[in-house]
Amino acid sequence: MSGGGSFSSDQSVAHATADGQMVPTTRRARVTSIQAEGAANSSIVFKSGGASGTVIATYEFGTEGLDMYIPGSGILFTEGVYLDLTTTPSVTITFT
């Protein structure tokens, strides 16, 4: 690594196979990567503030699935991360 310094990370990982709270609403989080198993007409909706909270991001994809790294500091969720799945077998996120 350039810089020759010491690097550290406080990354955590959460996995879900159904709708639900991935990071508690009492916790702030920045999602830095998303992996989702694909199926026909899959979609995932990420919300902050629980099931009836604010929609932060929506992704639609097919059988190819989803594998993405979020640049910069990631996507900010001020009141936890709630996941709403449609035809998606599983999702894994990395967050700080």
Side-chain angles (χ1 to χ4, degrees):
M1 286 187 239
S2 66
S6 173
F7 300 94
S8 64
S9 175
D10 58 352
Q11 296 282 316
S12 297
V13 176
H15 181 77
T17 57
D19 295 359
Q21 198 70 40
M22 296 185 83
V23 178
T25 57
T26 57
R27 185 171 172 194
R28 177 180 152 122
R30 288 187 180 271
V31 173
T32 56
S33 76
I34 305 164
Q35 292 181 317
E37 184 178 351
N41 301 311
S42 293
S43 72
I44 51 178
V45 177
F46 290 102
K47 299 177 183 181
S48 184
S52 61
T54 304
V55 173
I56 302 296
T58 301
Y59 299 94
E60 296 177 344
F61 49 96
T63 56
E64 73 279 4
L66 183 69
D67 187 9
M68 63 187 307
Y69 294 94
I70 312 301
S73 297
I75 302 170
L76 176 62
F77 293 78
T78 56
E79 297 177 279
V81 179
Y82 182 86
L83 176 66
D84 184 353
L85 301 173
T86 301
T87 321
T88 306
S90 65
V91 174
T92 300
I93 63 169
T94 304
F95 64 95
T96 57

